[in-house]
Amino acid sequence: EQRAKVRGIVHNEIVDLAISCNQMADQLEKVESSRQQFVSNVSHELKTPLSSVKVLSESILLQEDVPKEMYVEFLHDITSEVDRMTAIINDLLTLVKLDQKEIPLNFKETNLTQMMTDIIKRLQPMADAKYISLQWDASKEIHAEADEMKLSLAISNLVDNAVKYTPEEGTVKVSLDADHQNVFISVADTGIGIPEDEVNRIFERFYRVDKTRDRETGGTGLGLSITHSTIMMHKGSIKVNSKEEEGTTILVRIPLKQPTTHG
Ligand code: ADP
């Protein structure tokens, strides 16, 4: 009887082990397929501007007596395609750095009110150019433990998007608050909004709601994945509320203190 019991236990353990192995294999398959997807997306994103550059330069080369205006126009276009590729590569390098988990974030006591004020100041001209009212109330001074450089870029992406995807004369409202444990940052706009069935996809790498719409605004589709990774590394959370034609609100929460540096 004893032997049968032992055999039963061993059997159960083998079954558990087999299940774990299968789960691990599934996981690895998912990682591998998302890696392949990522590489294929990167290649595609870089190929498009490269093809444009080739077409533009060839059309100058193949034509005799090119008028000066055409030269200037085409060189302008080439420059903006090169700028686009540079933006993509810079975003990719940022993402790769964030993915290297062994490089720890540089957590320090950070004055978030000051950080946000600086972000708003930098993006003010972009809002002014579209007659957008960029509202920010800096009355409360809030501090938290954060990697200021990375968090600043993450929040900057949100405000940048809010201005980018809000038509002229709209409003972008940024706020900062805290309770005993968390800091809350919200960025609300009166912009074009995100379709309900796509809200969950906007943090994916290279994901853009409407490809043609975004080509004009010059985005890379990487900004929000950088923001998402950064907030996760701060042990926080990020939520999106959006309604098409009405606007989008992004809510970020990060803890006041980082658990890793405090036992
Ligand atoms: P991009 O560089 O294209 O802005 P992001 O990763 O920052 O890339 O955003 C992904 C997509 O999510 C954008 O292309 C846009 O379609 C959508 N999006 C992001 N923020 C907003 C917003 N505030 N309002 C409407 N759409 C947004």
Side-chain angles (χ1 to χ4, degrees):
E1 193 190 322
Q2 188 70 14
R3 208 179 288 162
K5 217 179 193 176
V6 171
R7 210 179 288 145
I9 292 171
V10 170
H11 176 77
N12 284 345
E13 278 181 359
I14 290 175
V15 170
D16 284 351
L17 203 64
I19 293 173
S20 303
C21 280
N22 276 336
Q23 281 169 348
M24 210 147 76
D26 285 351
Q27 202 70 31
L28 280 175
E29 211 169 291
K30 263 190 216 143
V31 170
E32 177 56 17
S33 101
S34 93
R35 195 188 62 83
Q36 280 169 2
Q37 184 69 45
F38 183 58
V39 171
S40 124
N41 284 346
V42 172
S43 317
H44 175 78
E45 291 298 322
L46 291 174
K47 237 172 134 174
T48 315
L50 268 178
S51 318
S52 305
V53 168
K54 192 165 163 66
V55 170
L56 288 162
S57 55
E58 270 178 358
S59 42
I60 297 179
L61 284 174
L62 293 175
Q63 203 175 318
E64 272 168 49
D65 302 324
V66 184
K68 182 156 187 270
E69 305 83 66
M70 192 175 153
Y71 255 124
V72 174
E73 192 192 326
F74 281 26
L75 285 176
H76 260 294
D77 292 347
I78 288 174
T79 306
S80 72
E81 295 297 342
V82 170
D83 287 346
R84 189 174 165 70
M85 287 187 275
T86 309
I88 292 173
I89 288 167
N90 283 337
D91 278 355
L92 279 172
L93 288 175
T94 304
L95 265 178
V96 166
K97 272 194 213 137
L98 285 172
D99 279 350
Q100 288 169 342
K101 299 240 163 57
E102 64 272 19
I103 298 175
L105 293 202
N106 185 15
F107 289 118
K108 279 205 181 87
E109 175 83 5
T110 303
N111 181 342
L112 293 183
T113 310
Q114 188 58 51
M115 183 194 90
M116 304 274 288
T117 304
D118 293 343
I119 292 174
I120 302 290
K121 216 196 231 163
R122 269 200 313 274
L123 294 172
Q124 189 69 55
M126 193 179 145
D128 288 346
K130 291 175 78 181
Y131 309 102
I132 287 173
S133 153
L134 184 51
Q135 301 171 5
W136 156 241
D137 175 13
S139 57
K140 254 193 262 172
E141 189 169 306
I142 294 173
H143 293 245
E145 228 173 326
D147 184 319
E148 182 166 2
M149 279 241 294
K150 298 206 172 66
L151 188 65
S152 171
L153 175 67
I155 304 300
S156 199
N157 283 343
L158 298 179
V159 184
D160 185 284
N161 277 347
V163 174
K164 211 158 65 174
Y165 299 110
T166 295
E168 289 195 354
E169 292 177 10
T171 303
V172 172
K173 200 173 167 198
V174 182
S175 67
L176 172 68
D177 210 342
D179 64 14
H180 294 304
Q181 281 166 348
N182 293 295
V183 175
F184 304 94
I185 296 168
S186 113
V187 181
D189 66 55
T190 58
I192 56 176
I194 301 160
E196 209 181 323
D197 55 337
E198 293 185 72
V199 165
N200 290 328
R201 304 203 54 191
I202 58 170
F203 296 114
E204 288 173 24
R205 292 167 183 195
F206 289 115
Y207 196 81
R208 297 188 201 127
V209 170
D210 178 337
K211 307 253 158 29
T212 48
R213 175 181 91 180
D214 292 322
R215 197 145 283 275
E216 282 161 40
T217 56
T220 62
L222 290 170
L224 283 182
S225 20
I226 292 174
T227 298
H228 186 265
S229 296
T230 305
I231 301 303
M232 291 305 118
M233 292 183 82
H234 281 79
K235 305 274 184 292
S237 63
I238 181 161
K239 267 195 226 142
V240 188
N241 287 321
S242 188
K243 205 158 185 198
E244 262 185 291
E245 315 285 333
E246 281 184 25
T248 303
T249 299
I250 305 220
L251 297 161
V252 170
R253 177 193 61 79
I254 59 161
L256 286 171
K257 297 258 178 254
Q258 286 300 316
T260 43
T261 50
H262 291 267

